[in-house]
Amino acid sequence: MISFTRIMTVVMFGAICFMLIVPTALKGHNTPLAIGIVVLFVAYLVTNLILWQRMKRRS
């Protein structure tokens, strides 16, 4: 169950980033904000993968 909720959280954060924030930033010609959001999402994704692997090894 924890895996499912972790995956859904990442999917929802991705939806917010890539369907709302990044297009709005690009439409407003704010490329640094769009790049920052993408970098933040990638860092969030990597962190979740690392934490998921650590949890998986403990159980």
Side-chain angles (χ1 to χ4, degrees):
M1 186 65 174
I2 292 175
S3 299
F4 177 73
T5 57
R6 188 172 295 273
I7 290 169
M8 287 308 297
T9 303
V10 171
V11 168
M12 294 307 292
F13 185 59
I16 290 170
C17 286
F18 297 111
M19 294 179 77
L20 294 175
I21 299 173
V22 172
T24 304
L26 291 175
K27 185 177 178 183
H29 304 290
N30 195 349
T31 307
L33 177 63
I35 292 170
I37 294 297
V38 170
V39 168
L40 181 67
F41 179 76
V42 170
Y44 179 73
L45 183 64
V46 169
T47 303
N48 269 298
L49 286 172
I50 291 169
L51 290 174
W52 183 63
Q53 289 296 323
R54 289 182 73 197
M55 285 176 47
K56 192 174 168 184
R57 269 189 281 161
R58 274 197 300 186
S59 12

